[in-house]
Amino acid sequence: CFQGVRGPAAAATAPVNALIRSVLLQERGGNNSFTHEALTLKYKLDNQFELVFVVGFQKILTLTYVDKLIDDVHKEFRDKYRNEFQQKGALGLLNGTFDFKDDFMRLLREAEESSKVRAPTVMKTFEQSLKSQKTVKCMIETRGEKPKEKVKTKKNKGSKKEGTEAVAAPGKAPAGDKQPPGTGEREELTKDEILQKNREEFFKRHMKASEKSRSPKPEAQKEKGKKPRVWDLGNSNAKVLDYSNSATNGSAEACPVEEFDPEIALGDRNREPGRLYDLEYESDDEAEEEKVIQNPSKPSAKKGGLGGMFGMLKGLVGSKSLTREDMDPVLEKMKDHLIAKNVAAEIAVQLCESVAKKLEGKVMGTFTTVTSTVKQALQEALVQILQPQRRVDVLRDVMDAQRHRRPYVVTFCGVNGVGKSTNLAKISFWLIENGFSVLIAACDTFRAGAVEQLRTHTRRLNALHPPESHGGRTMVQLYEKGYGKDAAGIAMEAISYARNQGFDVVLVDTAGRMQDNAPLMTALAKLIAVNAPDLVLFVGEALVGNEAVDQLVKFNKALADHSMAQTPRLIDGIVLTKFDTIDDKVGAAISMTYITSKPIVFVGTGQTYCDLRSLNAKAVVAALMKA
Amino acid sequence: AMAGRLEPHLEALRRELRAPDPAVLSVLLALLAVAITILIWRFVQGRRSSRKAVLLLGLCDAGKTLLFARLLTGKYRETQTSITDTSAVYRASNDKSANVTLIDLPGHESLRLQFLERFKAAARAIVFVVDSVAFQREVKDVAEFLYQVLVDSTVLKNAPALLIACNKQDVTMAKSAKLIQQQLEKELNTLRVTRSAAPTTLDGSATGSPAQLGKKGKDFDFSQLPMKVEFVECSARGSKGEEGDADFEGLEKWLAKIA
């Protein structure tokens, strides 16, 4: 760790640790910024030398030079200490003094200055503007003439739209600007001419064929009368694509007067005047686009042939460093594989992003292919996600609560039909086997037959574990108040009853509810906030796909919103049910743990009482990565 | 009779040798050469990878990385949560030629088991660093990690020496090593009951039932373990803070004994 931290060193440790724990270790390394209390942290990974660069600044500032600063610092630090990294190893890093402070201050100053360079632009006075320099004759426009080209001013570069166009050259001024062009040259034009000019700009934009049409005007006849443009971008430079007439920039005379062809301008003469046609799907456009893209890719493919072989040999020897392009196809395949295994789509994307960030620039070992490296990294990331972030030992906690003479309260929540009551019965069987007495609170007062179901389970469990074999006390009892009552009230009464009677565990069964159902979510949040259970378990079925993300996010949000406390009680653990119905499409486990970062406490694998398992991270990841 | 049995084989061999094109023989010789090479290579490998590592394990923020830095360089460093392992060769101070490789493993929950898997086979000794100040709060987590280390099949087989280093003794509220030992024994006693009662894992307990720690029937005691366990107090930061040295003579002596 670099020792020369600006400001008190202790202030830097906590945010950086938070960054490490929440982002890097949980595989959320997709985007590179992170906020912690009052600071925003931006970071960059150097995977070749295993370095992490973190820059922190106050959240309220929006500094534009931070990315550039990080890149510069990264390059400079790496170049300066390259030898030490390569040769000395851990001992060298510990012993070495990395006296980077002066370099860092210099880079910081440079970055700050570069961001200040663009002073706010002062409006030109009339004399300075080009309008005053033009002759009057030039400015008078007669009907039928194409108005002169807009003068491109450097100050228009501020608009981002120009930067994002891949095909258009920077010189093509009318293309990107949404703003009305020019510096006041338009006042003399009549309304018709404005209309004509707009139509021409529209046609020009269409002829470039790389942007969606901004206005749903009827499709124009393609450039029959004009010369075909040169589309091949591969061997053209900006000059060829610069269609702005260079003569008009600043010169007084030359106002190009082109032939105005009304045919082209008006377009489809056969249309009914005034009628607005629907937007037709232009398939020709796409054909042209493909042509455009094909051409530049062909020459690169040829070059790629020889380079590819060299790269492969280099890869065999083991000094090749991974680039984004190498990893992209493999990552795509892995992402599709994960999605096919029932991992939620957005999570698969985020995971692959994070793995890509971790591997970029890393030097591969001998005889390892890109595929194997990426697979290895992904496997480690998945195992990391599935490892519980906190202790998962229900029995231990029950023993603790037993010592304090209060019941251990577990609440089950989830959407409809996931198996809450069934798994509640399984868990109570397990607890009874371990010698704890259980009180089941029937807080599902809505679903018909919910109370009867629990009563049947209680009867069965008592038959399996009669009071005689446990020293005369009934191991399972049901606390119910019928249907239609308030669930939170029943739960509270059940807990106090358990405390009086000396039950060890209270299992609270709630009604299934959809995550979008606001009143029901409020009711659940109230139940949990009022009763403060020791463990809030979200029951989710393994068959769920992308829905898992939505369910968990909304459940957590509801619990957080309706809680009065400073630190609201959120979901503490997940019960994954119906695990026997999926063969190896075990992706739901990953989705759920990734979203909540809470562990999977139990896994339900069937309908009988013994079908309760705990999660084995390695087995699940193996099943997930299996082809 | 033996000679009689060998005779026809020897005859065949002699015939083969005399034959102008000893194809079979050359193949046999090649295979023999390969086999010998493989044997030599395995032998050399085995020699090289004998267990020479000392692992630094512990919870997050126990002080492993600082201890590592202090042992190797004697200087104080600001440290962050470790993301990956660091290893270096440590030479015991009393000039014996033997040296060990100190490996500092990350303590974060999502990483610790992975790295333990990777390095447990090479471990000659394990230093389990405990934060003595936060011990009261974290006793269950400490015990759980220690339990996971102790029931690991490789660890039980190799029985590396175990030192439990009670770190952060420079703070006044730090618990003593004796207290930590008692509490850990009690906690591990409970844990071995609850852990073995936990639901079996998904793949149908491929690893068999988890190993029983210590003797059944009797309360758990560290002396029941197959490996030598010692408790030592130390402070990586040192009583004088960043300028002074760390006090860990007990640790250094133990390391010298192990090497």
Side-chain angles (χ1 to χ4, degrees):
Chain A
C1 167
F2 176 45
Q3 298 298 306
V5 188
R6 217 178 181 190
T13 328
V16 179
N17 276 341
L19 170 73
I20 293 174
R21 282 181 211 182
S22 53
V23 176
L24 296 176
L25 291 179
Q26 287 187 23
E27 297 300 320
R28 287 172 212 271
N31 58 346
N32 67 344
S33 85
F34 169 75
T35 47
H36 172 79
E37 293 171 16
L39 292 178
T40 307
L41 295 169
K42 282 208 174 194
Y43 63 94
K44 188 167 196 287
L45 303 173
D46 178 341
N47 296 310
Q48 193 184 6
F49 298 115
E50 299 192 338
L51 303 169
V52 181
F53 293 89
V54 181
V55 170
F57 51 93
Q58 290 192 330
K59 193 162 57 172
I60 46 179
L61 302 173
T62 49
L63 300 175
T64 49
Y65 58 78
V66 177
D67 289 317
K68 186 173 167 306
L69 175 68
I70 268 198
D71 286 334
D72 291 337
V73 167
H74 171 206
K75 274 196 220 91
E76 181 116 2
F77 192 85
R78 187 185 57 192
D79 296 331
K80 189 167 175 188
Y81 296 111
R82 186 181 280 268
N83 291 332
E84 267 117 356
F85 294 144
Q86 279 173 342
Q87 294 163 8
K88 294 200 194 153
L91 210 54
L93 288 178
L94 282 179
N95 277 327
T97 49
F98 295 92
D99 196 6
F100 200 64
K101 185 155 185 181
D102 301 326
D103 295 298
F104 177 71
M105 299 307 285
R106 178 177 45 93
L107 285 170
L108 183 61
R109 247 178 290 127
E110 282 173 15
E112 279 173 359
E113 278 167 24
S114 71
S115 76
K116 289 200 205 117
V117 150
R118 291 191 221 126
T121 54
V122 179
M123 277 186 59
K124 293 189 297 187
T125 62
F126 178 70
E127 287 77 22
Q128 291 175 353
S129 81
L130 292 154
K131 184 166 156 188
S132 64
Q133 296 170 5
K134 295 201 172 48
T135 62
V136 181
K137 181 173 165 231
C138 194
M139 297 230 273
I140 296 174
E141 293 187 10
T142 58
R143 247 202 144 112
E145 273 184 22
K146 187 175 162 185
K148 63 182 177 299
E149 296 282 341
K150 206 169 30 116
V151 176
K152 178 177 102 94
T153 58
K154 286 248 182 302
K155 303 223 164 54
N156 280 339
K157 228 200 282 188
S159 62
K160 278 252 171 94
K161 301 269 183 341
E162 291 196 7
T164 55
E165 284 176 7
V167 178
K172 187 92 166 134
D177 291 342
K178 274 244 158 93
Q179 45 194 329
T183 48
E185 297 161 337
R186 299 294 167 222
E187 290 99 77
E188 296 88 25
L189 299 178
T190 63
K191 208 163 155 204
D192 292 321
E193 285 167 338
I194 292 175
L195 199 61
Q196 276 170 10
K197 200 176 32 44
N198 284 341
R199 275 209 207 104
E200 280 153 32
E201 285 177 5
F202 171 70
F203 297 149
K204 266 191 241 158
R205 268 188 236 137
H206 250 270
M207 290 192 277
K208 270 188 319 94
S210 70
E211 288 193 359
K212 314 184 272 276
S213 53
R214 302 260 163 96
S215 48
K217 287 209 188 112
E219 168 73 339
Q221 290 276 330
K222 281 286 163 153
E223 51 278 33
K224 293 237 175 84
K226 295 212 173 157
K227 272 189 305 180
R229 300 249 170 121
V230 176
W231 285 109
D232 191 336
L233 292 177
N235 47 16
S236 68
N237 49 11
K239 262 208 185 22
V240 174
L241 292 173
D242 184 349
Y243 292 111
S244 64
N245 203 323
S246 47
T248 55
N249 285 349
S251 69
E253 338 55 27
C255 309
V257 174
E258 288 184 19
E259 269 299 316
F260 173 57
D261 193 350
E263 283 281 341
I264 305 303
L266 206 46
D268 190 1
R269 278 203 171 262
N270 300 327
R271 68 181 176 85
E272 294 167 17
R275 181 176 159 186
L276 198 65
Y277 283 82
D278 297 286
L279 185 68
E280 287 154 3
Y281 189 65
E282 305 112 22
S283 48
D284 323 328
D285 259 5
E286 297 202 1
E288 287 198 59
E289 278 184 66
E290 282 171 28
K291 255 194 284 161
V292 172
I293 301 167
Q294 289 287 349
N295 275 331
S297 69
K298 252 189 275 175
S300 63
K302 261 183 256 152
K303 265 182 279 166
L306 203 62
M309 186 144 71
F310 209 37
M312 193 179 68
L313 287 177
K314 225 173 158 208
L316 278 180
V317 169
S319 64
K320 185 162 188 246
S321 73
L322 279 173
T323 57
R324 206 56 199 265
E325 292 84 35
D326 297 333
M327 288 194 289
D328 268 341
V330 185
L331 277 175
E332 274 295 311
K333 230 181 343 143
M334 291 316 301
K335 184 176 70 125
D336 292 333
H337 175 80
L338 284 178
I339 293 180
K341 293 274 187 172
N342 207 20
V343 179
E346 20 184 277
I347 293 181
V349 167
Q350 279 183 32
L351 258 179
C352 288
E353 258 309 303
S354 163
V355 169
K357 275 258 169 68
K358 253 214 263 193
L359 286 180
E360 213 168 318
K362 190 164 173 169
V363 175
M364 296 198 293
T366 49
F367 289 113
T368 51
T369 57
V370 180
T371 320
S372 66
T373 319
V374 172
K375 270 206 185 147
Q376 175 79 9
L378 191 63
Q379 195 158 358
E380 281 173 13
L382 288 171
V383 172
Q384 220 172 292
I385 290 176
L386 282 179
Q387 293 286 7
Q389 303 276 336
R390 63 175 189 86
R391 215 165 34 89
V392 176
D393 199 349
V394 178
L395 290 177
R396 185 73 191 81
D397 297 330
V398 175
M399 278 191 198
D400 245 3
Q402 208 178 19
R403 218 166 1 121
H404 293 198
R405 291 181 204 291
R406 58 175 180 83
Y408 188 78
V409 183
V410 184
T411 310
F412 292 81
C413 60
V415 301
N416 314 67
V418 290
K420 287 186 290 300
S421 307
T422 314
N423 282 282
L424 186 146
K426 283 190 223 163
I427 291 175
S428 47
F429 178 72
W430 174 64
L431 286 169
I432 295 168
E433 294 257 282
N434 283 305
F436 298 111
S437 54
V438 177
L439 179 73
I440 302 179
C443 296
D444 184 352
T445 52
F446 174 70
R447 203 193 78 198
V451 179
E452 279 75 21
Q453 179 182 16
L454 289 175
R455 195 174 290 136
T456 313
H457 276 303
T458 314
R459 221 179 302 130
R460 276 198 209 149
L461 288 171
N462 272 325
L464 283 171
H465 283 268
E468 297 79 48
S469 60
H470 287 274
R473 55 180 184 146
T474 37
M475 296 305 279
V476 189
Q477 210 173 323
L478 176 67
Y479 188 90
E480 53 96 1
K481 289 275 184 225
Y483 293 95
K485 308 275 181 11
D486 174 37
I490 297 180
M492 191 151 27
E493 291 168 22
I495 294 173
S496 49
Y497 178 78
R499 198 176 301 124
N500 293 337
Q501 301 289 322
F503 281 96
D504 299 315
V505 189
V506 178
L507 298 177
V508 178
D509 184 26
T510 60
R513 58 204 76 209
M514 291 303 291
Q515 68 269 22
D516 296 324
N517 194 332
L520 290 183
M521 293 306 296
T522 318
L524 177 69
K526 182 180 120 187
L527 189 151
I528 289 178
V530 162
N531 293 305
D534 295 296
L535 194 63
V536 178
L537 287 179
F538 176 83
V539 184
E541 53 184 10
L543 299 157
V544 74
N546 294 325
E547 263 293 287
V549 175
D550 196 47
Q551 282 176 10
L552 276 168
V553 163
K554 294 231 175 86
F555 264 81
N556 263 336
K557 194 152 138 343
L559 289 182
D561 287 342
H562 298 287
S563 149
M564 294 296 142
Q566 277 281 58
T567 48
R569 290 301 310 277
L570 296 178
I571 292 173
D572 293 321
I574 300 171
V575 180
L576 197 60
T577 61
K578 306 186 189 167
F579 206 77
D580 51 327
T581 55
I582 52 176
D583 297 323
D584 54 351
K585 298 201 188 318
V586 296
I590 298 284
S591 317
M592 293 195 197
T593 34
Y594 188 87
I595 283 288
T596 54
S597 8
K598 295 290 191 288
I600 293 183
V601 183
F602 295 111
V603 179
T605 52
Q607 303 260 20
T608 72
Y609 289 135
C610 296
D611 292 321
L612 190 67
R613 301 263 178 277
S614 60
L615 188 76
N616 183 349
K618 282 206 211 82
V620 169
V621 173
L624 204 59
M625 299 294 291
K626 193 167 64 166
Chain B
M2 273 290 284
R5 264 188 229 126
L6 276 178
E7 271 297 314
H9 296 290
L10 281 174
E11 269 302 309
L13 204 63
R14 267 184 230 126
R15 233 179 297 133
E16 264 296 308
L17 278 170
R18 272 182 242 126
D21 183 22
V24 178
L25 197 59
S26 46
V27 169
L28 279 174
L29 274 176
L31 282 174
L32 199 63
V34 169
I36 291 179
T37 318
I38 291 179
L39 277 172
I40 294 178
W41 185 48
R42 281 240 183 91
F43 182 60
V44 169
Q45 274 247 316
R47 285 276 296 280
R48 235 186 297 139
S49 71
S50 66
R51 298 157 19 210
K52 295 188 72 178
V54 175
L55 306 180
L56 282 175
L57 299 172
L59 290 188
C60 237
D61 284 342
K64 302 180 288 296
T65 310
L66 183 57
L67 209 58
F68 182 76
R70 283 287 209 185
L71 277 173
L72 289 174
T73 66
K75 284 186 270 188
Y76 176 83
R77 297 181 35 183
E78 291 283 345
T79 55
Q80 311 293 125
T81 312
S82 312
I83 309 179
T84 175
D85 60 298
T86 331
S87 61
V89 175
Y90 171 72
R91 194 157 255 112
S93 53
N94 48 5
D95 286 16
K96 266 199 277 185
S97 60
N99 49 6
V100 287
T101 317
L102 269 183
I103 308 185
D104 169 33
L105 301 179
H108 195 264
E109 296 85 5
S110 31
L111 295 176
R112 54 167 87 136
L113 289 177
Q114 259 179 305
F115 281 97
L116 181 63
E117 280 291 311
R118 235 187 273 175
F119 290 101
K120 61 185 178 180
R124 184 193 291 188
I126 295 181
V127 178
F128 195 88
V129 186
V130 174
D131 183 347
S132 317
V133 179
F135 181 72
Q136 211 52 30
R137 226 184 329 127
E138 292 177 345
V139 58
K140 291 201 207 109
D141 300 302
V142 174
E144 194 204 21
F145 188 25
L146 191 57
Y147 180 83
Q148 282 171 335
V149 172
L150 290 175
V151 295
D152 190 85
S153 48
T154 321
V155 170
L156 281 177
K157 190 170 61 130
N158 294 342
L162 178 64
L163 175 75
I164 303 198
C166 308
N167 199 11
K168 304 199 186 175
Q169 290 291 328
D170 51 299
V171 182
T172 39
M173 299 294 288
K175 307 279 178 295
S176 68
K178 224 180 190 17
L179 183 69
I180 291 180
Q181 179 172 0
Q182 283 170 355
Q183 295 247 340
L184 276 180
E185 283 175 350
K186 249 197 297 181
E187 191 63 32
L188 282 171
N189 198 19
T190 333
L191 262 186
R192 50 182 188 161
V193 172
T194 59
R195 273 326 190 86
S196 50
T200 55
T201 55
L202 275 175
D203 54 357
S205 63
T207 51
S209 58
Q212 177 66 348
L213 206 58
K215 300 202 188 23
K216 265 192 201 183
K218 290 214 286 193
D219 273 346
F220 176 75
D221 208 313
F222 276 111
S223 53
Q224 296 168 6
L225 290 173
M227 64 264 286
K228 266 197 314 156
V229 183
E230 280 181 40
F231 278 79
V232 103
E233 293 184 4
C234 67
S235 163
R237 178 175 280 195
S239 43
K240 292 189 217 67
E242 303 169 13
E243 289 79 37
D245 284 327
D247 328 299
F248 44 35
E249 287 131 22
L251 180 62
E252 286 177 322
K253 266 190 253 157
W254 184 84
L255 278 172
K257 219 181 356 163
I258 294 297

